[in-house]
Amino acid sequence: MTRIVVAGAGMAGLLSAIKLQEAGITDLAVYEKADRLGGTWRENTYPGVACDVPSHLYRYSFAPNPEWSHLFAPGEEIQSYLEDVADRFEVEKYISYDTEIARMEWCDGHWSIETTDGRRDVADFVIAATGVLHHPSYPDIDGLDSFDGALFHSARFDHSVPLEGKRVGIVGTGSTAIQMTGALVGSVGDLHLFQRTAQWILPVPNRPIDEADKAHYREDPTAMQAVRDEMSATFEQNFANAVIDAASEQVQIIQQLCEANLNDTVIDPDLRERLRPTYQAACKRLILSGDFYDAIQRPNAHLVTERIERIEPSGIRTTDGVLHQLDVIVLATGFRVDRFMRPIEVVGRNGVSLDDVWAQRPSAYLAVSIPDFPNLFMLNGPNGPVGNFSLIDVAEHQLSYVMQLMAEVTEGRAAEVSASHQAAERFEADRVEAAKKTIWVTGCRSWYLDDRGIPAAWPWTMTHFRERMARPDLADYDLITR
Ligand code: NAP
C-alpha cells in the first residue's frame, strides 16, 4: 500500500488529502504544526484581512460556494470555508495537529520522517504543502524590544490588546497594512502609518454580494460557474497576463487607473505627492483597495514618510528627530519568502541537504520537483505563479500533475521519480530569460525578487502554466527502477 505524508493542513494540504482519498489512497497522514487547519487564513486575523483574489476564483473547483459575502472574501470566511470543506470531504481524520515535521531523509527508497515531538513515520511520497508567506519577517530596527506598549507582527495579531481610542502605529505599506489602515482608522485614536515606499492602489471597492445573487447561485450552480469563468478570464487577461509583459497595453491601463485614483481621490497636494510611487504600477504587488485613500485622509490618520530611526519606550522616532508617541505598534513588514518547507531539515539522495541545494536561493523544476529529492513534491513551491493568480487554482493544477508522476511509481513503472538536473537547469535558464520582460523588473524593490534581483515567480502566461501542468514530460525526470 502506498503511504503518503502531506506537510501542512492549509489550503493545499487539504486539497491533497481530498484528491488522494478520491483516488483511493487512504494510507495518508497530514502533519500540521498548529492546532487548527487553514494555514494563511488561520494565521492572519488582523483587522480587515481579506483575499485580493475574487472569492469565486479563490475556491476549490470541486467545492463552489454560493455563500461568499463579498467580492473579496474576508479572511475568517475563507477559514470557515476551508473548515467546512475539510468536514464535507471527511479528510480531518488524516490530520495530526500540533505535529511539526522536523526532519525527513530519503533512505532505502522511502522518506523517513521525524516530528519535533519525536514521532517517526515512513512514507513512499511526501507532498510539501507548507505555504509561501508564513514566516513573519521582523524588521531590523534599533530598539524593537524597548517599546513599553504592545508590539506584534500582523500575522501574530494580538486581539487581547485594546485598540479603541489608542495611538496605533503600523509599519509598512503592503497589502496587509493597507487593509488594516481602512479597518482601524474609524476606531483607534490616532493612526500613524510608517511608509518606506509608496504604493500604487487600484480602486476596487470590496462590494457585498447581495442575497438575490446568492440565492440565484444556490439554485443554479451553472450561473455561478459562468460568473466564475468570466471573472477568471478578466483577471487573467487584464492582470495575470499583463504583469508578465511590461510593454503590454493592459499594464498601461493599470498605470492610468492607479494614477487617476491618486489624483482624483487625495485632495491635499502634499499628501498626494507623498503617496505617489516613483515606479510603475504592478512592479510591486499591486494593491486593490476601495477605502485606503479615504482612510489616510481622515483627521486622525498620519502618513509618516520620514525613515524610522529607532523604536523607543514611548514610540517610534524618525530621522527628522520627531518622536511619534504610540500605545501599540503593528509590524506589517511581510514575510521571509525564501523558506518554503524549511525549517524542516530535508536530506535527499546520497545525503544531499536541501539547505545546501537552496543555499543561494530556493528553486524547483516547474515549481514542483527538485533534482535528487525523489518522490517529494511541492504545491506552491518556488518559481510558481505566486503573484499572478488564485493559488487554489494553481495548487489544483500542480496536484493533478504530481499525481500523474506518482502513478509512475504506484503503477510499477519506476521506484523513484524526481526532476533531472538537466531539465531543472533548462527550466531555470528559460525562466530567468522570460523574467526580463516582466513588470517586476522595471525598477522597484519587492518580495518577488530574489538575491540577484530576478523575479522568483512564474514569468509566463497562465495558459502556458496549465499546458505545462496538463501532463508531465517524463523525459525531464529521472525515473529509477529497482
Ligand atoms: P509586504 O507586501 O512584504 O509588505 C511589507 C511592508 O513592510 C512593505 O511596505 C515594506 O516596505 C515594509 N517594511 C519592511 N521592512 C521595513 C522596515 N525595516 N522599515 C520600514 N518598513 C519596512 O507584506 P504584506 O503586506 O504582509 O503582504 C505580503 C503579501 O501577502 C502580499 O504581497 C500579498 O501577496 C499577500 N497578502 C495579500 C492580501 C490580500 O489578499 N489582500 C493581504 C495581505 C497580504 P518596502 O516596500 O519599502 O519594502
Side-chain angles (χ1 to χ4, degrees), residues 364-380:
Y365 172 67
L366 288 176
V368 298
S369 175
I370 314 160
D372 288 331
F373 292 82
N375 299 9
L376 166 66
F377 303 106
M378 286 171 291
L379 301 180
N380 289 312

Side-chain angles (χ1 to χ4, degrees), residues 41 44 46 49-53 133 137-141 153-154 171-179 194-199 279 284-285 287-288 307-308 332-335 337 386-387 445-448:
W41 305 104
N44 284 277
Y46 60 82
V49 59
C51 185
D52 59 5
V53 172
L133 303 173
S137 169
Y138 288 87
D140 185 15
I141 300 175
H153 191 277
S154 56
V171 180
T173 48
S175 308
T176 300
I178 299 300
Q179 288 178 342
F194 292 85
Q195 168 184 288
R196 184 166 71 178
T197 310
Q199 291 275 10
Y279 54 86
K284 284 165 98 71
R285 168 107 177 177
I287 295 185
L288 314 184
R307 286 299 164 95
I308 295 174
T333 45
F335 299 86
V337 297
V386 60
R445 179 176 56 178
S446 83
W447 65 264
Y448 290 157

